[in-house]
Amino acid sequence: MSTPVYELHSDNGNRMFVKRDDLLSFGLGGNKVRIAAAFFDDMKAKNCDTMVAYGSASSNLCRVIANRCAMEQIPCYIICSQSESENTREVTSNTRLMELLHAVIIPCKKNAIAPAVENTLLQLRREGRRPYYIYGNKYGTGNEGVPARAYADAYDEIIGDEASLGVTFDYIFHASGTGATQSGLICGHLLHGDQKKIVGISVSRDRERGSSIIAQGVTSLLAEKGYTNKFSPSEEIILEDGYRRGGYGLYDREILSCIRKEFCTNSLPLDPIYTGKAFLGMEEYLKDHQIRGKNILFLHTGGTPLFYDCLNRGELSDF
């Protein structure tokens, strides 16, 4: 896997670059293409025959997993959460694609995820199947190191991008949701022993909870890699939760304005759930911390169907 990196037009006093992982050539792209590949490798290594995933109606990972399952003719079950205030299941381009790919979508409330996972796994085992749940056990723990591998490997690619461009990135920014991408990037940074700062802009979790999950992924993968130096979560994990605009799935006029500007200026299709929120958060972080004269890389983690949802709702029209 390899994606282009190029410089953006910007007026914030830094050289701004973007790595277009949204252009990965499978399942409409995104960081979840790399992460799903790691899950499928682990699934096959464990001799499982049925994939079980979890995510919201906006989940890019569930979309990509459903696509990979359809291609490889693997049964796919998606546990899809909705808030307590939602009386009907939210429909997005991602859920439409999951249905097109014949994934079995199992709706549940956010406070009932563990029972839904447990019941699904038990039923599949009764049917004689060997299910693989991407997050480990029913509480979503146990598999932290698996998806982190994807972006530890991608970090090598970023080092190659620097050589091709003749620059050294001082900061790497990205949308941080499940924490897998940030865990992998931190591992890559530590394994290379460089000075980059990996800044995750949280789109969902608060700093304490999110940092704990990221630390688990880093610790697990570093042990697997045989890394013996000390890992200090307080020094290495930079997770900014002040730009969430109220939490996962929530966004405002300012995020929509940022999406519109970046598409018109740099032809970047961002979305309001993940990358648009992260891009605006990055800009605010640079301003708040008075960072200037640096080389900044924004990792575009994908979400193209969500960009079109936003466009089709008329949210990107002139304000």
Side-chain angles (χ1 to χ4, degrees):
M1 297 181 184
S2 182
T3 53
V5 176
Y6 55 81
E7 191 164 0
L8 298 173
H9 299 285
S10 177
D11 58 1
N12 64 19
N14 299 286
R15 290 189 70 187
M16 304 295 297
F17 297 82
V18 61
K19 184 168 179 64
R20 295 290 303 273
D21 270 16
D22 60 312
L23 298 179
L24 283 166
S25 58
F26 181 82
L28 297 175
N31 64 329
K32 298 308 190 287
V33 174
R34 299 184 193 264
I35 289 172
F39 280 132
F40 274 85
D41 287 346
D42 191 53
M43 173 188 174
K44 293 172 183 177
K46 292 176 177 173
N47 196 33
C48 296
D49 62 10
T50 302
M51 180 64 81
V52 179
Y54 159 74
S56 73
S58 299
S59 174
N60 295 313
L61 177 59
C62 290
R63 180 196 79 236
V64 174
I65 282 178
N67 207 164
R68 181 80 177 258
C69 283
M71 184 180 73
E72 298 190 22
Q73 297 185 321
I74 294 171
C76 180
Y77 291 76
I78 305 292
I79 296 166
C80 187
S81 66
Q82 60 191 58
S83 69
E84 294 302 309
S85 61
E86 290 178 290
N87 295 318
T88 58
R89 184 166 63 86
E90 182 184 4
V91 177
T92 67
S93 290
N94 278 344
T95 57
R96 290 189 181 98
L97 288 166
M98 292 177 219
E99 291 167 349
L100 173 69
L101 295 161
H102 301 295
V104 177
I105 299 178
I106 302 168
C108 75
K109 296 295 185 182
K110 284 187 177 179
N111 63 356
I113 297 166
V117 172
E118 183 176 39
N119 291 338
T120 301
L121 295 178
L122 284 173
Q123 182 59 39
L124 291 170
R125 289 180 183 125
R126 289 193 190 105
E127 295 171 4
R129 301 188 192 182
R130 301 183 301 278
Y132 175 91
Y133 180 48
I134 61 172
Y135 294 126
N137 63 28
K138 67 179 181 179
Y139 299 111
T141 61
N143 253 18
E144 293 84 3
V146 173
R149 290 175 203 159
Y151 273 88
D153 293 341
Y155 200 89
D156 296 338
E157 190 180 310
I158 291 172
I159 297 299
D161 294 331
E162 289 181 316
S164 298
L165 292 166
V167 300
T168 299
F169 301 125
D170 300 296
Y171 291 83
I172 300 176
F173 286 84
H174 68 288
S176 189
T178 64
T181 298
Q182 190 160 1
S183 294
L185 290 173
I186 291 171
C187 286
H189 149 69
L190 291 172
L191 291 167
H192 279 274
D194 61 32
Q195 301 302 309
K196 292 179 182 56
K197 294 186 183 300
I198 314 299
V199 183
I201 303 297
S202 178
V203 299
S204 55
R205 296 184 173 105
D206 62 48
R207 183 181 292 109
E208 182 177 0
R209 173 64 175 150
S211 295
S212 174
I213 292 171
I214 292 165
Q216 290 171 20
V218 173
T219 301
S220 176
L221 186 57
L222 288 180
E224 179 184 313
K225 298 281 188 181
Y227 182 85
T228 57
N229 294 339
K230 182 181 179 182
F231 160 55
S232 174
S234 62
E235 293 179 8
E236 298 294 346
I237 299 176
I238 306 174
L239 181 64
E240 288 298 324
D241 63 358
Y243 311 115
R244 292 180 295 162
R245 295 303 197 271
Y248 180 77
L250 301 177
Y251 54 94
D252 57 18
R253 188 182 179 98
E254 196 171 6
I255 288 175
L256 295 172
S257 180
C258 175
I259 293 171
R260 185 174 184 276
K261 175 188 174 186
E262 289 308 314
F263 188 75
C264 293
T265 304
N266 288 303
S267 193
L268 280 185
L270 304 173
D271 74 89
I273 310 299
Y274 303 106
T275 53
K277 185 176 288 189
F279 198 97
L280 180 60
M282 172 186 69
E283 291 190 323
E284 293 184 348
Y285 182 96
L286 293 172
K287 181 180 178 181
D288 291 345
H289 290 79
Q290 299 181 350
I291 296 171
R292 299 181 67 84
K294 301 295 184 180
N295 294 321
I296 310 296
L297 178 67
F298 180 74
L299 175 63
H300 191 319
T301 50
T304 300
L306 302 177
F307 167 78
Y308 284 108
D309 282 344
C310 190
L311 182 68
N312 290 337
R313 288 192 297 264
E315 293 177 335
L316 301 182
S317 303
D318 289 333
F319 300 128

